[in-house]
Each structure stands twice: as structure tokens, then as C-alpha cells.
Amino acid sequence: MCGIVGYVGERDAAPIIVESLVRLEYRGYDSAGVATIHEGRLYVEKDAGKLTEGGEPTDLQRRLKSLPGKIGIGHTRWATHGDPTRENAHPHTDCRDRIAVVHNGIIENFSELRQELEERGHRFTSETDTEVVPHLIEEFMSEGKSFFDAFVEAVKRLEGSYAIAAICVDEPDVILAARKESPLVVGLGEDGNFLASDIPAILPETNEVIPVDDGEVVVVKRDEVKILDAETLRDVTDEKEVQVVEEDPHRLERHGYPHFMLKEIHEQPEAVRNTLTIERDRLVEMAEELARGEYRRLYIVACGTSYHAGLGAKYAMEMLARFPVDVVIASEFRYVTRELVDEETLVLAISQSGETADTLAAVREANERGATTIALTNVVGSTITREVDHVMYTHAGFEKAVAATKTYTAQLAAMYTLTVELARRLGELTDKEAEEYHEELDRVPEMLERVLEWEREREVAVLGGRYKERPNWFFIGRGPGYPTAMEGALKLKEITYQHAEAYPAGELKHGPLALIEEGVPVVAVAQRGGVYEKMLANIEEVKARGATVITVAEEGDENVEEHSDHVIRVPRISEVFSPIVYTVPLQLLAYYMSVARGIDPDYPRNLAKSVTVE
Ligand code: M6R
């Protein structure tokens, strides 16, 4: 995953491009680069490293911003082919330094193309797949083709996924771009036009955007944007809808928080409140769709944290609505489970970004097999919204930190609302019971505000610091506590680099108990409800073997004290909805441990926010 940006207009391009790249760094941050054209010459500056360090601009950022010219393209990289080095950083150029290209995606046939181009005398300087593109364009231009025709021919030769932007000194007022299975939007500005991998990158510059679809080529000039079908070259610009994005660009700043992750953790009450109110009618409609009884089975497909939201939804749907659900990791679904999909299947994809390659591929498989598809996403206009039959949104606001937090609780809020309405329609809940559950959900933002009171947060912060060197963690839970344990373990892994495993607590005795010894931290999720007594027994079991037990339990629950070293208190909530509250202290635990370990939690190593490659 990488991020790409382009600008052509009246202002200096490099500072605009670099600011946009900073906002895109969540897509990759192991190297960055910019190319501009000024007075008939191509300028390229790039290197390994980040654009910001601790919120401050790095030397690389300053160098990139200094390039001259009113037209340029930029890139922030998350390495797939080739190490993160200066040579492998984008933009890549042709042999004569007249064409520059940035690319997000993977060109699968790059080896053949490279060999063919090398045989024709082209000199390559990187190990990347992308470098074939400027050389291909150069090759076609050497046959007498214009920059545009050469670009289109080059794109036709590419297999794989791409969002590509290119500039050429021969035509110094145009950026050409193309898209296949990697996100790309055009931004319409007053004094120029933009290209970017996603909307937030350019939001402070313009809120008028046109999402580019697969198989389209874009011509961007200072005062004109044209979108064409890449195959037929038919002009489809007039058929495209200009979206006006309502998101406030100021929300994209840290607002005094040391990290975006902490800010986003604290935005959860608002994210949940907005989702419960703004999306309510839509969720009711979707519950009606599910309740019509036309579907033989429901698959929820997702990755990472969104998968855990799917698991939370499964427990709710099965406990409240008695509606059976299979939750499948999207990368497994797309190759294995797809065989079971037919016209009577409903596939609900959860993806905060709406751009995750595996989730999109699962949706495409489901569409091809005639299933009805629904997406739950946080990003208006994201690719997934254009590929499914029905869309539901979370209203969490843009999430920047790699570790998902507010989008997770917002996803749960949406799925719980849908579940209550489904249960009502299936006769599993009376109207009165359904209303009581809705009222409880409406109180969740307030509960989250209590979890996030500084006194409580500080206790969790202390635990993060105290146990920061413990290398192996277990997270255990039962029933809806199990997805909470899974999400807690994932957060810890991704931003503290400590090993963490989540288990359904009843499963411990089937193997993992062998790993519990003196001082191994075990985080126990002990919500009240049907599995509470069993959970207490599991806590006792690990404590007896020397574990350091940190239990998350509701206020006033004294039973957990005896066998716990520490108890993190949360407000009372029905067991079925417990993940939406119990997960939050675990986000904080991971966050404070990450900071105590000297890691930047917003930019964990090897990870990027949107995984737009397989
Ligand atoms: O955008 P998506 O919800 O589809 O992303 C799915 C995962 O890549 C994502 O949740 C990932 O696991 C997060 N880094 C977790 O914090």
C-alpha cells in the first residue's frame, strides 16, 4: 500500500503535494518522493524515511517541499517490491529523466516487462515493479506516440493492480493517471486540480471530488479534468458524479493530542453517537432486508479489527435474533468459502476504509456468484460502496492512526442497532424489549465518556508502563468477551510489538495453559452474563499457575478481585453489547504500552492503514 498525489495549478506544487502526502502517510511511510516540472526540466527528490517525526517535519519533508514548479506528483511508500531505499522510492523515471511515475498497487507481470525493456536497451535503477511504467511510456513515445497515447498503451500492458500518475516534460501542463483495483480520486480546485489515493489527502484543498473507477484514464490540467474509458477512450466525464464531501478538514489535525490514536480513542463517544443517530433509518431498512427470509445464509466478511466487529455482530445476532451467522476472514473467503455462495446468500462486508483488497475481492466473488452484498464502511465514496447492492455507513469521522479504534466501536454500534431491529422483526424481541435495548445503546456514548475519564485512563496508563517489557501476553474471554479479547490482543501486537494471543477462555486447557507460568500477563474479559461464572473459574486457573492477571470487569463486581492483580472497571452494560465498552480500556493499554516502549503508535512498523494489495 502506498499513497499517491498530484497537483497542477497556479501555486507551487511541491508544498501542496507534500502536505497531502503527510495526510496519506497512514497508507505507508517507509519512503517518500516528489517530482515536479519547471522550465522544461524534471525535478525529482526522494528518499527512505518518514515525512514527520513526532509531529515535526523531517529533513526529507523540507527537501521535497523545496522543488520548483506548478505541476507535480508525489508518493509515500510501503515497500512491496524492493527494500525501503532511496533507489526504490517513487517517483521513478525513464532513461532520459523526462517522465516520472508514481504508483500504488502491484504490477504482476513486471518481470517479463522489465526483461523485454532491458533487451531494448532501457536501464533500470531500482528493484521495484513500478519502474517498468516510465520505461514503457518512453518506449512508446520513442515510436512517435504522444505522451497521452504512450501512457494509454503502457497501461494496457500492465497486469495487476494500480493507481498510477505520470508527468512528462514534453507536456508540462498535464498529469495523466489510470486506475485498476487501487483507489484514486480527482479533486476539483479553484486554482488547480488534484489527484490522490483518497479524499482526506486533499480535503483541506477541496471538498469536490470525483472517484475514478477501474478501467479509467484521467487527464488533469490546471483548469480541466477529463475522464476516459481506457479501452475505448470514450469521454465519460459528464457521466461522473461530483461528490461534495462534508467532513471538516480540521478534524484531520491532532488537536493537542500527542498521537492520532489517542485522539481517535477519545472520539469514540461521538463516533458511536453519530452512528446511532445518523444511520438509524438505514440500519432499520437493512434489518428489514435480512428479515425478509429470502436468504439461506449470511456471511460476514472482513479483515483485522473489522473482522472482530463481525464476530461481535455474530454473537449479538445469534444471542438476540437467533439468526445464524458465519464470519469469515476475507482472504479465506475469496478462495475457499466462495464455493458455497449462491443467489440465496447474503454477504455483509465490513471495512472501515472500504478499500481493503481482500474484502473487495470477497465482495466481487460474491457478486459474481449472484449473492446479495451489503457493505458497512466509514468512507463515503470508497471503492466498496460502488461494488455492493446496499451500503451502510459508520459516522466515526476520518480515522488516521493505523490501529483502528473509533471505527471499531462505531461498527459495533451499527451492527447492534441492525441486530435489535432484526430480532424485533423475527419476533425474538418484543417492541418493548427492542426499545430497551435501543435505550441502552443510546447510553453507550455516556458509558464511553466514563471509561475515558482521566482518573481511569491514568490507571491503565500505569499498567502499560509497568508491564511494558513482558514479552508474551494472553487475552481471554468467553461469549461476547472473546471478540473483545481478540481485539485487545491485536491492538497490543500491532503497536507494542509484544506477542499476544487471544483465546476463548474455555479453550485454555486444550493447550495454551502449558504456556502460563510465573509472571505471564493474562488479560481477562469478565463481563457479567451467561458465561461469567465460567470465566471466574478460568481466571482462578491462570492465577494458580502464576499469571499476572489484569481483569476488565464492571463497576461493583467484587468477585473478580480475589484472583486478579489489577481490575479495570467499566460501566455496566448487557453482556451482548459488552465489546463496545470493554474493548476501550484495552485500546488504552496498548496505546500507553506502545508509548512507554518508545514506539510511535500512529505508525507501527510494517503496517499501513489501508491494505490495498493482497
Ligand atoms: O479498512 P478495513 O477495516 O478493511 O481494514 C481491515 C484491517 O486491515 C484493519 O482493521 C487492521 O487490522 C487494523 N490495523 C487494526 O487496527
Side-chain angles (χ1 to χ4, degrees), residues 303-306 350-353 356 359 402-404 490-491 494 611:
C303 305
T305 290
S306 295
I350 305 181
S351 172
Q352 80 78 23
S353 62
T356 299
T359 310
V402 167
L490 177 63
K491 289 286 97 84
E494 68 178 335
V611 187

Side-chain angles (χ1 to χ4, degrees), residues 70 74 245 274 281 316 357 435 441 460 514 559 564:
K70 313 279 184 209
V245 182
N274 286 345
D281 292 349
E435 284 318 312
L441 285 175
V460 180
N559 301 325
S564 306

